[in-house]
Amino acid sequence: MTSTDTLPIPRPTTAPMAHEHFWLTESRHSTSEGIVVYVRCGACTARRIDLRPSSAAPSTSLPPIAMSRSVGESPNVRP
């Protein structure tokens, strides 16, 4: 059976591959709470704001605290 009035068969689209973000610093500035760091992922368009608390000693290797969610990335990509 052939007809020109039928709808095309939907084809599954491939979701973007998930990756672990690697954050690059775009800028930073000091506040009363600590150092605010604006970062972006080097592999995608995701951006985030981090806080390095002023109570953390500079010699510690603790990671900054994410103050925002990642924005600018595909909703199917998970960090």
Side-chain angles (χ1 to χ4, degrees):
M1 172 177 158
T2 60
S3 173
T4 58
D5 297 327
T6 60
L7 296 174
I9 299 171
R11 303 282 183 217
T13 58
T14 57
M17 292 188 60
H19 70 278
E20 183 174 342
H21 296 296
F22 64 97
W23 300 108
L24 303 172
T25 300
E26 290 190 315
S27 67
R28 68 181 77 202
H29 65 272
S30 296
T31 67
S32 60
E33 296 291 321
I35 299 173
V36 175
V37 184
Y38 298 87
V39 296
R40 68 175 170 82
C41 178
C44 68
T45 60
R47 286 184 156 72
R48 190 175 78 183
I49 301 171
D50 292 347
L51 173 68
R52 185 167 291 130
S54 56
S55 60
S59 61
T60 62
S61 60
L62 295 175
I65 300 166
M67 298 303 294
S68 69
R69 293 182 350 170
S70 300
V71 295
E73 62 185 285
S74 171
N76 293 331
V77 176
R78 300 270 187 241

